[in-house]
Amino acid sequence: MPEDLNWAIGGEAGDGIDSTGKIFAQALSRAGRHVFTSKDFASRIRGGYTAYKVRTSVDRVESVVDRLDILIALTERTIHENEDELHEDSVIIYDGERSTMQDVEVPGDATALEVPLKRLAEDAGGAIMLNVVALGAACEVTGFPIENLDESLQKRFGDKGEAIVENNKEAARKGQEYVREEYDEDFDYDMETTDNDYVLLNGDEAIGMGAIAAGCRFYAGYPITPATDVMEYMTGRVDQFGGKVVQAEDELSAINMALGAARAGARAMTATSGPGIDLMTETFGLVATSETPLVICDVMRSGPSTGMPTKQEQGDLNMTLYGGHGEIPRFVVAPTTVSECFWKTVEAFNLAEKYQTPVFLVSDLAMAVTEQTFAPETFDMDEVEIDRGKVVDENDIDAWLDEKGRFQAHFAAADGVSPRAFPGTTDGAHMTTGLEHDELGRRTEDTDVRIEQVDKRQRKVETAREQEDFDYREFGDSDADTLVISWGSNEGALREGLTLLEEDGYDVRFISVPYIFPRPDLTEEIEAAEDVIVVECNATGQFADIIEHDVLERVQRINKYNGVRFKADELATEIKQTLDTPAEATQ
Amino acid sequence: MSSDVRFTDFKSDKQPTWCPGCGDFGTMNGMMKALAETGNDPDNTFIVAGIGCSGKIGTYMHSYALHGVHGRALPVGIGVKMANPDLEVMVSGGDGDGYSIGAGHFIHAVRRNVDMSYVVMDNRIYGLTKGQASPTSREDFETSTSPEGPNQPPVNPKALALASGATFIAQSFSSNAQRHAEIVQQAVEHDGFGFVNVYSPCVTFNDVDTYDYFRDAIVDLDETDHDPSNRDQAKDKILESDKEYMGVLYQDEDSVPFEEREGVEGSMAEIPDGAPEGAMDLVREFY
């Protein structure tokens, strides 16, 4: 048998698939086993097909595979949907007494266990517990100690009273006993437990937790799949630390509220998914031009338009990288694992405040809904560092006042980063705007000031390139001729894929890139490789495009952005100067 | 220190580029007077503005200010106030900014009832884009984009506000300096969302809703037996389409601001140097 076990429960939305799966995943996690979950779900509240899948092992698991060992099928469709993943040792648990399941044909050589789930649940106190009966049956098949399930049931139903918990424990035992008594088979599964303590959480929860740890106190958002979990996580929890979540009337409002809160000095965030990012785009430029620190999280799903709201895609990269009219200095950070969702969120807040500009935190559906086990110290809060950047207060604001005593909120500092005074700071009153402005924040159309402010804002990116460590993560054989590059949630699947390739004699170097902009320079790595493959969940290869662009020999450029069109004599002069300057000097 | 603050302290040294005679001068002066009268100073005041002639106000006033994008000033103001309830937040907008592109935000800002004031400079025209119909333009008002008039009734923002659960609705006229400043002051002092629609005539593009028109048409509620605490009376006044009222139309004295109901206490700007105390409990929840 393989070291890991793949388990699933499937049925219709509304059947309690999610909570049952979660109960099982938590039981495994508490039993010291690693867990990696995934979901198949449709964009509907009731009906349709939905499944919760759990991959578990005593070793770390970081991806899903095409193999299903135990399947709890609440509907016949569940079996068909997963047919390709079943094998000769697979076990299917279903209620053969249900009218819709009486003629079920189990595909291939898989073992079918007919368990009267509903009847046994009723015996234990209520038909509603039929899923738990199935969990008990699964415990018997897999040799998983049912006591671990008890703890998980306690956690799930504790709020509803001890009687409910006891009934559920009883339901699980009825399932276990039924299989033990009716099926005298030696199921070839043995689920070892360990003494390890793990926590189990998904990418959205990790982002929310990271935000609170990083001092985020204001969150405004609008519900949208698959970003809603971030908002739901923060609701109630951020309040305990003096913060607030506001459900806005739309995404335009959400990002503007977050902007207002950030302007008032709070660490603020909004999160959304593709269609919501479209609406927020209007405000990207305002965030950048007013030099407001803001974390904007995009948990991607299949687009364009409303696309497939419950399916995976990494199609918004260009949107976060280029979205918004005009030119917007920004950072785009894309966590590659669930735990990195936590750490990159912390980093996003620091980047936002250090450089006073929007930071896009790009995650995706696969990461958002995947629950994974971690040692708690993976999220060691003592390691969280906060850097608020150049905040000035009453004591040092004098250095930033002009000769008339006015605060220079957009001072054209050499590193591109101006001082920042939270409202309420004495002598710090200042205006800021999305209009081009001078150092005091006042509107201007002066061509020199325009250039000064554009350059100043763009310098932040250069400063960050120098000061920050926008590095990649590397796996596999660093001398291999084949280089695979990826970003976002593909990392886990690629790492496991790499070991499969190694078994087949392929040497591969794998680079996982968590920083989209600024990003690590991969020129050397690409030039050293014979084959370069970029892996991403989209149709056009958005990241491949920018990587290709990076390694092209650079064209020389003439740029003008003071608000005035090109003039003939000016262009002739510029071109002459460009031609007379060695190309490398202009790079 | 606040007692030393004069309304001119809220004035910046930037000369307004509004047309000579524009109603917005008076509207702004009233806002500055109201802020000074209520004991605020520029360092604890945050002005948010949208786009249009009204949007320029942050530049001409001296305070913390943000001039945002078209129609979105209210959400910004809400964010500021939620993050720091100690700040005095005043939002300024125009009839286009507030009742057209920002109409959705207006309704929700009203029902959210955050403790801030919203002063709308209503000139019944798009001024800065040079004379197109606005949501409050009269049905037959001829403009460059509505040669025969918009052919649809104007928005009644006070009715929208009342229907949305407003706790303070007032109307003012920029040219009546004293009354205007008093009305805005009442909005600032109100515990909740203080909404003031200000007739602020556009002398360049609107030759119908002029100073003369408003002077003749306006009825001061203080000179009537209007009871602002009576919602039904307020409703009747607000729905009288042929009347232009000045004063507080409706005020709910029992209003409790959103941030108070939500239990927001003090500024969110101060955070610890590292993760907050007890943060490991957030991790333990996932056992």
Side-chain angles (χ1 to χ4, degrees), chain A residues 163-181:
Chain A
I164 302 276
V165 176
E166 288 308 316
N167 286 351
N168 275 281
K169 287 180 183 171
E170 173 66 15
R173 272 160 187 76
K174 288 202 181 293
Q176 182 189 39
E177 282 159 19
Y178 188 88
V179 173
R180 188 176 293 160
E181 286 161 15

Side-chain angles (χ1 to χ4, degrees), chain A residues 6 20-21 25 44 48 68 113 144 162 214 228 239 288-289 362 421 457 482 489 506 514:
Chain A
N6 288 275
T20 311
R44 56 193 287 179
L68 201 47
L113 295 189
F144 183 68
E162 276 311 300
T228 313
D239 302 42
T289 310
V362 186
R457 293 192 294 264
T482 304
S489 66
Y506 289 87

Side-chain angles (χ1 to χ4, degrees), chain A residues 26 30 155 197-201 205 209 212-215 217-218 233 237 239 241-250 252-253 256-257 259-261 263-267 282-283 286 290 292 376 379-381 384-386 388 404 406 421-435 438 442-443, chain B residues 1 12-14 17 42-46 55-59 61-70 72-84 87 101 104-106 108-109 111-112 128 258 262-280 282-287:
Chain A
Q26 275 177 339
R30 295 169 82 91
K155 188 177 166 96
D197 278 329
Y198 294 130
V199 291
L200 181 73
L201 71 168
E205 289 165 336
M209 192 167 79
I212 295 176
R217 293 293 173 267
F218 186 83
Y233 177 81
R237 286 188 184 80
D239 302 42
F241 300 93
K244 205 76 222 168
V245 170
V246 174
Q247 182 173 321
E249 58 272 22
D250 56 36
L252 295 148
S253 176
N256 278 282
M257 276 189 205
L259 165 81
R263 209 65 223 167
R267 283 194 155 190
E282 178 193 55
T283 303
L286 175 62
S290 66
T292 307
F379 310 100
D380 182 357
M381 294 291 174
V384 171
E385 286 176 13
I386 308 283
R388 305 212 67 183
K404 289 186 178 171
R406 300 172 301 193
F422 297 156
T425 306
T426 305
D427 296 333
H430 67 273
M431 163 79 185
T432 191
T433 167
L435 290 167
D438 60 16
R442 292 157 179 232
R443 177 203 182 140
Chain B
M1 110 171 224
S12 82
D13 49 13
K14 197 98 172 169
T17 57
D43 286 334
N44 81 333
T45 303
F46 202 111
K56 296 180 170 185
I57 195 156
T59 312
M61 287 179 65
H62 175 61
S63 70
Y64 285 93
L66 185 124
H67 176 214
V69 290
H70 203 194
R72 321 287 170 218
L74 284 170
V76 174
I78 290 168
V80 170
K81 186 71 182 181
M82 292 293 286
N84 188 351
L87 296 172
I101 188 165
H105 303 312
F106 174 57
H108 296 281
R111 54 186 279 264
R112 214 169 263 128
L128 204 54
F258 180 72
E262 287 285 293
V264 176
E265 290 170 2
S267 168
M268 297 176 185
E270 295 303 319
I271 56 165
D273 281 343
E277 205 163 317
M280 261 334 265
L282 294 171
V283 182
R284 288 189 198 102
E285 262 189 68
F286 290 108
Y287 271 122

Side-chain angles (χ1 to χ4, degrees), chain A residues 114-401:
Chain A
E114 277 188 57
V115 183
L117 303 175
K118 190 176 171 199
R119 181 157 56 82
L120 293 173
E122 280 166 350
D123 290 349
I128 196 167
M129 297 184 292
L130 68 91
N131 294 0
V132 178
V133 175
L135 288 181
C139 284
E140 179 61 21
V141 174
T142 57
F144 183 68
I146 204 160
E147 297 72 30
N148 290 296
L149 191 62
D150 290 346
E151 287 181 37
S152 198
L153 291 168
Q154 180 74 41
K155 188 177 166 96
R156 175 74 176 81
F157 298 111
D159 291 347
K160 298 187 174 176
E162 276 311 300
I164 302 276
V165 176
E166 288 308 316
N167 286 351
N168 275 281
K169 287 180 183 171
E170 173 66 15
R173 272 160 187 76
K174 288 202 181 293
Q176 182 189 39
E177 282 159 19
Y178 188 88
V179 173
R180 188 176 293 160
E181 286 161 15
E182 299 293 322
Y183 294 94
D184 183 26
E185 282 184 47
D186 183 16
F187 301 104
D188 202 7
Y189 294 102
D190 182 18
M191 284 226 276
E192 200 183 317
T193 59
T194 77
D195 292 334
N196 294 325
D197 278 329
Y198 294 130
V199 291
L200 181 73
L201 71 168
N202 69 29
D204 274 359
E205 289 165 336
I207 287 171
M209 192 167 79
I212 295 176
C216 175
R217 293 293 173 267
F218 186 83
Y219 178 100
Y222 188 79
I224 183 168
T225 303
T228 313
D229 275 358
V230 178
M231 185 167 175
E232 290 185 342
Y233 177 81
M234 295 201 63
T235 302
R237 286 188 184 80
V238 75
D239 302 42
Q240 297 162 23
F241 300 93
K244 205 76 222 168
V245 170
V246 174
Q247 182 173 321
E249 58 272 22
D250 56 36
E251 286 88 347
L252 295 148
S253 176
I255 190 171
N256 278 282
M257 276 189 205
L259 165 81
R263 209 65 223 167
R267 283 194 155 190
M269 177 170 83
T270 184
T272 185
S273 189
I277 275 286
D278 286 353
L279 295 178
M280 290 182 179
T281 311
E282 178 193 55
T283 303
F284 294 173
L286 175 62
V287 177
T289 310
S290 66
E291 306 200 71
T292 307
L294 194 63
V295 178
I296 302 159
C297 175
D298 179 16
V299 186
M300 298 176 290
R301 65 187 212 186
S302 292
S305 191
T306 26
M308 296 193 291
T310 60
K311 304 297 174 196
Q312 161 73 347
E313 194 166 286
Q314 297 175 300
D316 301 351
L317 188 68
N318 287 340
M319 180 68 179
T320 53
L321 200 50
Y322 306 118
H325 67 277
E327 295 171 304
I328 297 169
R330 69 184 91 198
F331 299 96
V332 182
V333 178
T336 55
T337 62
V338 169
S339 58
E340 281 301 293
C341 284
F342 175 88
W343 290 107
K344 289 288 176 276
T345 302
V346 173
E347 191 176 341
F349 278 98
N350 286 337
L351 286 172
E353 288 205 312
K354 280 168 82 174
Y355 301 100
Q356 299 172 24
T357 201
V359 178
F360 292 89
L361 185 67
V362 186
S363 176
D364 57 49
L365 181 134
M367 198 137 59
V369 302
T370 290
E371 281 153 316
Q372 224 182 324
T373 34
F374 296 93
E377 52 271 24
T378 310
F379 310 100
D380 182 357
M381 294 291 174
D382 290 339
E383 295 289 314
V384 171
E385 286 176 13
I386 308 283
D387 188 341
R388 305 212 67 183
K390 292 188 189 172
V391 177
V392 299
D393 61 20
E394 281 80 358
N395 302 316
D396 51 0
I397 198 163
D398 284 357
W400 301 103
L401 305 181

